[in-house]
Amino acid sequence: MNIYNFNQKLNREHTSSVKWGLTKQIFGTDDVLPMWVADMDFSPPKEVKDALQERVDHGIYGYTFSPPSTTEAIQLWLNKRHAWKINHSWVLYSTGVVPSISIAIEAFTAPGDKVMLQSPVYTPFFEMIEKNNRQLVNTPLKLIDNRYEIDFTVFEDHLKDGVKLFLLCNPHNPSGRVWTKEELTRIGKLCHQYNCLILSDEIHSDLILKNKHIPIASLDETFKDITVTCIAPSKTFNLAGLQASAVIVPNKELRKAFKDVQERQGFFSLSAFGIIGTEAAYRSGEQWLEELLAYLRENVHTVKEYIDIHLPGISVMEPEGSYLIWLNCRELHLSDEELKDRLLKRGKLALEPGTKYGPGGEGFVRMNVACPKEVVLEGLERLKKAFQ
């Protein structure tokens, strides 16, 4: 029996919501249905809201520190959900995964050093490399039968050429690929062989719709020693506004280097609400998450079935993880500008353009289906209107 109601439509106006409040600024119009940025239109677990409310009711919001109980909650969660036993001392905190990526680039590389990614991929990967004055090295993913694969020949060639840090996205955003044990093992062995560190963004790791998420650092002692793993309750429980994430750094020297940069920036702890929300989510959110995953699977199925019937020119890359659907529109034979124009002017629908994710994203759009089914169906009708 389900406890949580994901069909409930919540009004997010006047909440400073990026997704709902910035459509005019980003898309040039507010007369669109926003299904773009990666947050959910679902209320988080009641246990989280209750814990936050209790903290609000206390009435004093002074300086905070991240208590051992929060780290313990993370340890228990990772062990139960991903069979990864971590040491208490490995856990650091950050306001988010993107700041952590920037800190890692500064801590582990020097200006001009090569930092590698695999496009199409999460936009801030590009931005953090370039804004930190590092040399961006791209190893594009191969699209084979509407599924992404890693080109390990090119991957190794770049490592031979002196890449210092590799940014891994697992599960992959925007496609939802969950990298397999074999793929991760090959990545880890090559990075270890060529003395390349790994920053693994695993923010979507709890949102697994099929297959199994494996933290790359959990696979081998040598991988653990070269890997920094970023996680957060933000995507899993829709808590991005609390600005809280964790960074798992088993290697003592890397951990010190990371902390040194944080201290130079003046970071010391999460906010009072970030601490409370993180701990409550990881301790009490599992039932909510299981019901969420079942709901997301139904939404993904709805999208695939609808598009297969009504829009045969679009191919759905069914996500193995996350609530994001990568739609291949290349068979429509429209330019990216035409895709955008049709979506906004005909369909009144705001989706993420594939070009935002770098080379290989051309001809794609990304749809966020973490919303009530009624909204998903409305979005699909708008998609049909745009391209029919």
Side-chain angles (χ1 to χ4, degrees):
M1 178 181 173
N2 290 347
I3 299 173
Y4 297 96
N5 178 18
F6 295 103
N7 287 316
Q8 183 182 10
K9 290 179 70 175
L10 299 172
N11 186 345
R12 298 184 64 184
E13 292 181 9
H14 312 299
T15 63
S16 300
S17 163
V18 169
K19 183 176 182 179
W20 288 86
L22 289 185
T23 53
K24 175 112 179 144
Q25 181 177 324
I26 294 169
F27 294 96
T29 176
D30 51 17
D31 183 25
V32 290
L33 179 67
M35 298 181 75
W36 61 290
V37 72
D39 76 358
M40 298 191 273
D41 289 329
F42 301 134
S43 181
K46 181 179 183 299
E47 295 84 353
V48 174
K49 293 189 290 183
D50 287 347
L52 291 170
Q53 186 62 57
E54 183 180 346
R55 187 68 183 84
V56 168
D57 291 343
H58 179 270
I60 298 177
Y61 318 118
Y63 292 116
T64 55
F65 67 95
S66 303
S69 58
T70 306
T71 304
E72 182 186 70
I74 292 169
Q75 287 178 287
L76 293 169
W77 182 264
L78 289 175
N79 189 26
K80 185 171 185 181
R81 300 294 299 189
H82 306 301
W84 188 21
K85 294 183 179 181
I86 66 167
N87 189 292
H88 191 280
S89 66
W90 299 353
V91 181
L92 303 175
Y93 291 98
S94 169
T95 54
V97 169
V98 175
S100 297
I101 293 169
S102 181
I103 291 165
I105 290 170
E106 184 177 344
F108 308 137
T109 67
D113 279 350
K114 295 177 178 179
V115 180
M116 185 166 69
L117 50 70
Q118 298 169 306
S119 74
V121 75
Y122 184 48
T123 309
F125 278 27
F126 296 90
E127 295 172 349
M128 293 304 102
I129 294 170
E130 292 168 344
K131 288 180 179 179
N132 279 285
N133 299 312
R134 271 56 170 180
Q135 185 178 341
L136 191 155
V137 175
N138 186 15
T139 306
L141 296 168
K142 297 188 296 184
L143 185 61
I144 301 174
D145 296 330
N146 206 34
R147 189 172 189 263
Y148 284 120
E149 304 286 349
I150 297 170
D151 188 333
F152 279 104
T153 300
V154 177
F155 188 90
E156 184 171 6
D157 285 343
H158 285 322
L159 289 175
K160 288 178 182 177
D161 202 30
V163 170
K164 300 292 185 184
L165 179 65
F166 167 53
L167 305 185
L168 171 65
C169 195
N170 183 34
H172 180 254
N173 176 10
S175 77
R177 262 301 315 269
V178 174
W179 304 113
T180 65
K181 182 179 180 179
E182 291 71 27
E183 289 167 321
L184 294 170
T185 299
R186 197 167 178 187
I187 288 170
K189 285 183 176 179
L190 286 169
C191 287
H192 181 257
Q193 179 180 346
Y194 294 103
N195 298 312
C196 176
L197 300 176
I198 301 169
L199 185 289
S200 187
D201 173 0
E202 302 186 10
I203 196 170
H204 291 279
S205 60
D206 297 320
L207 298 166
I208 303 301
L209 306 180
K210 56 170 63 174
N211 300 340
K212 175 180 172 58
H213 172 76
I214 303 170
I216 188 170
S218 71
L219 283 173
D220 189 278
E221 283 295 313
T222 58
F223 303 173
K224 181 183 76 175
D225 208 43
I226 61 171
T227 301
V228 171
T229 304
C230 297
I231 65 167
S234 52
K235 300 298 183 198
T236 310
F237 300 102
N238 206 27
L239 300 174
L242 295 186
Q243 305 256 306
S245 75
V247 190
I248 322 287
V249 195
N251 183 298
K252 187 176 180 179
E253 291 180 4
L254 296 182
R255 193 162 63 246
K256 182 181 184 305
F258 193 96
K259 286 179 68 176
D260 285 348
V261 174
Q262 283 190 308
E263 288 171 4
R264 286 202 299 272
Q265 295 177 346
F267 175 79
F268 297 100
S269 176
L270 299 180
S271 72
F273 299 106
I275 292 165
I276 294 294
T278 296
E279 184 167 345
Y282 285 137
R283 288 193 184 275
S284 306
E286 192 165 37
Q287 175 67 31
W288 181 92
L289 176 58
E290 289 299 330
E291 293 186 27
L292 169 73
L293 292 174
Y295 195 88
L296 292 177
R297 290 184 187 104
E298 288 184 10
N299 278 357
V300 170
H301 175 76
T302 296
V303 170
K304 190 171 189 323
E305 187 175 60
Y306 185 98
I307 289 177
D308 286 348
I309 294 170
H310 298 285
L311 291 162
I314 298 177
S315 300
V316 176
M317 190 179 291
E318 196 170 345
E320 298 165 347
S322 87
Y323 46 72
L324 307 168
I325 302 184
W326 194 228
L327 300 176
N328 185 342
C329 304
R330 291 177 176 179
E331 291 299 313
L332 297 175
H333 303 294
L334 299 170
S335 69
D336 288 289
E337 194 57 38
E338 287 171 321
L339 288 175
K340 178 182 176 183
D341 192 68
R342 292 266 197 112
L343 284 166
L344 293 177
K345 293 181 180 177
R346 288 194 192 182
K348 303 293 184 182
L349 181 63
L351 303 183
E352 290 271 37
T355 50
K356 185 175 179 179
Y357 302 90
E362 304 86 356
F364 284 83
V365 293
R366 193 190 76 172
M367 174 182 273
N368 175 355
V369 297
C371 48
K373 187 173 182 178
E374 180 184 341
V375 177
V376 172
L377 291 171
E378 181 183 348
L380 289 170
E381 288 293 319
R382 290 175 183 237
L383 189 70
K384 183 172 77 169
K385 188 174 181 181
F387 296 123
Q388 197 170 39

